[in-house]
Amino acid sequence: ARPEGSDLLVYEFDHNHFFHCGVGENEGDGIQLIDQRAGENSREILIHHNTFDGDGVSTTGVGSLANKKSQQPIDPPGADAVKEKIWIYNNNFFALKRAAITGGYHTYIFNIIIKNSPVGIRHSGAEGWVANNLTHNTPPSREHQYQRWGQ
């Protein structure tokens, strides 16, 4: 947890183009969020107005990993429980190999376009929500565990 009186760390990723993330034949994520066991209120992450074009090589557009791990499980992909608040909105995700987004406990995902990915959103948090997203050639996510906005 954040010590009393210390500032909240805010990380903002905006207006970027993530293309073919990885080196050579190695797969990679566009953005990989790794929980540092710092607690729910130590940082806030904003990811907006980006394009994630996996070109069939990148594993995940935005991946969440718990317990300082840096490797996502293959099946099911990602969605470990990062505790910090994560806002993912107004982004486009194309041709990712495993999933467009894997979330955490407090992940809020809205106004997203996902195309040609085997899993759209895999979200493990009970306190976040997913709303107003469009998919094409992407099956409904099998692992949805989220509250809809307004419930």
Side-chain angles (χ1 to χ4, degrees):
R2 185 174 77 224
E4 190 173 325
S6 66
D7 293 332
L8 175 71
L9 293 174
V10 177
Y11 297 93
E12 188 167 8
F13 301 89
D14 62 290
H15 298 90
N16 296 292
H17 184 176
F18 297 88
F19 177 73
H20 194 103
C21 297
V23 178
E25 295 181 17
N26 295 325
E27 302 168 341
D29 294 342
I31 296 175
Q32 190 176 74
L33 305 172
I34 301 174
D35 183 31
Q36 300 297 317
R37 295 187 184 202
E40 293 179 13
N41 60 0
S42 61
R43 62 183 178 169
E44 186 169 353
I45 299 163
L46 309 171
I47 301 169
H48 61 92
H49 296 93
N50 298 292
T51 299
F52 297 84
D53 187 349
D55 194 31
V57 175
S58 300
T59 304
T60 305
V62 177
S64 295
L65 300 158
N67 303 321
K68 301 181 183 180
K69 292 187 285 183
S70 63
Q71 297 270 324
Q72 287 201 37
I74 292 173
D75 191 28
D80 283 330
V82 171
K83 290 184 174 36
E84 291 91 357
K85 214 176 252 188
I86 303 167
W87 297 88
I88 303 172
Y89 59 94
N90 297 343
N91 294 290
N92 300 306
F93 295 85
F94 305 108
L96 292 148
K97 208 168 179 180
R98 292 192 192 146
I101 301 169
T102 63
Y105 284 121
H106 306 282
T107 303
Y108 306 91
I109 302 168
F110 57 100
N111 298 344
I112 301 294
I113 296 173
I114 302 169
K115 184 176 178 183
N116 298 334
S117 297
V119 174
I121 299 168
R122 182 160 185 268
H123 184 69
S124 65
E127 295 192 25
W129 42 257
V130 175
N132 304 328
N133 301 301
L134 297 173
T135 60
H136 175 73
N137 199 26
T138 298
S141 297
R142 300 171 300 220
E143 304 292 332
H144 280 302
Q145 297 173 10
Y146 60 82
Q147 292 178 275
R148 290 197 177 269
W149 202 357
Q151 286 186 345

